[in-house]
Amino acid sequence: MKKTIILATGIMLAMGVSAQVVETTTYDDGRVYTGQRDGKGKINGKGLMTWPNGDRYDGQWVKGNQEGEGTYYWSNGVVYTGQWKKNYIKGHGTFHFPNGNVMEGDWTSMGNGTGYLTWPDGSRYDGPFVNGAPHGQGVKVWANGDRYEGSFVMGHMTGQGTITFEDGTTYTGNWVNDKREGQGVCRYKDGGHYEGQWRNDQFEGQGKYTSPDGTTLEGRFVGGKYAED
C-alpha cells in the first residue's frame, strides 16, 4: 500500500490524549482512506474511506472499524447517516433513498429495527422493519387521509387490520398483499355494512349486506354482487 502523510499532530500527553496522525492511504485492493490514525498507525478517529465500486464512508472509526457517528454513501444512491458498531449499522440513524423515501429509526442491523418511513407524497408508516420493509404491527397513513392499523408482511398489508378511509368508511378483517381477503366487516359512510367473506377487495363467498334502510341480502356473493340462487 502507498501512504501520503498530510498532517501529524502531537497532543500533549499531560492532556491524556494520544497522538493522532492524519494521512491518505491507497490500498492494494483499491480502497483509499484519508483521515486520522492513532500513534501506532491504526485507523482511529475521523476519516473517509472510498471503495473501488464507488461506495464511501465518512465518519468515526475505532481501531479500524466504522464505529460511532458516520455517513455511508452507496454507489446506487442510498445514503445512511447514523450510528455504527464494528462496521455494522447499529443504533439510531436515517436512510435516504434515490426515489425520495426517508426511513428513520433505531436499528439492530441493516434495515432491521423500529422507526418510520415517509414517501415523497407525504404518506407515512410507523412500526417495525425487517430488511428495510414494514413488517409486524404498524400504522400507515396515506397523504389523502386513509389510515391502516394492523399487520404488515414484508411491506404489504397482510393479516388482521383495520383501515379507515378519508370518507369515513371502515373495514376490519383479514388482508392479503394489500387487498381485503378472507373474513371481514365493512361499514360504509351511508350507514350500510357488509360482513362476510372477501376476495381481491370484493365481496366473495358467504356474507350478509345490510343497506342503510335495514334491508338485507344474505347468502353467496360473487365479484362484489349478490348471487341469487
Side-chain angles (χ1 to χ4, degrees), residues 86-167:
K86 293 184 177 179
N87 294 327
Y88 291 98
I89 290 172
K90 193 174 182 66
H92 191 82
T94 304
F95 291 88
H96 291 267
F97 299 92
N99 62 3
N101 291 355
V102 177
M103 187 170 69
E104 181 176 352
D106 296 303
W107 311 108
T108 57
S109 60
M110 175 73 169
N112 298 300
T114 301
Y116 71 84
L117 170 65
T118 59
W119 286 264
D121 68 356
S123 299
R124 174 173 170 137
Y125 163 83
D126 289 86
F129 292 84
V130 172
N131 295 329
H135 189 88
Q137 294 295 309
V139 177
K140 181 175 180 179
V141 179
W142 284 262
N144 69 353
D146 293 351
R147 184 181 189 275
Y148 171 84
E149 183 171 359
S151 176
F152 289 81
V153 176
M154 296 312 297
H156 297 285
M157 297 179 290
T158 297
Q160 290 292 307
T162 296
I163 191 168
T164 302
F165 296 97
E166 56 85 21
D167 68 358

Side-chain angles (χ1 to χ4, degrees), residues 153-212:
V153 176
M154 296 312 297
H156 297 285
M157 297 179 290
T158 297
Q160 290 292 307
T162 296
I163 191 168
T164 302
F165 296 97
E166 56 85 21
D167 68 358
T169 297
T170 64
Y171 168 84
T172 300
N174 201 63
W175 296 76
V176 176
N177 290 331
D178 302 323
K179 295 184 182 295
R180 291 169 287 186
E181 191 149 327
Q183 195 72 19
V185 178
C186 190
R187 301 184 183 280
Y188 298 93
K189 63 177 182 178
D190 64 6
H193 66 274
Y194 171 83
E195 180 174 0
Q197 295 176 316
W198 295 72
R199 185 178 180 184
N200 196 30
D201 252 354
Q202 295 182 318
F203 308 160
E204 186 81 25
Q206 294 298 309
K208 179 181 179 180
Y209 174 76
T210 303
S211 65

Side-chain angles (χ1 to χ4, degrees), residues 14-31:
M15 296 176 64
V17 181
S18 60
Q20 289 288 326
V21 177
V22 177
E23 66 180 24
T24 294
T25 302
T26 301
Y27 296 88
D28 294 338
D29 60 8
R31 290 177 298 142

Side-chain angles (χ1 to χ4, degrees), residues 27-39:
Y27 296 88
D28 294 338
D29 60 8
R31 290 177 298 142
V32 178
Y33 173 78
T34 299
Q36 295 177 320
R37 295 176 181 270
D38 61 22

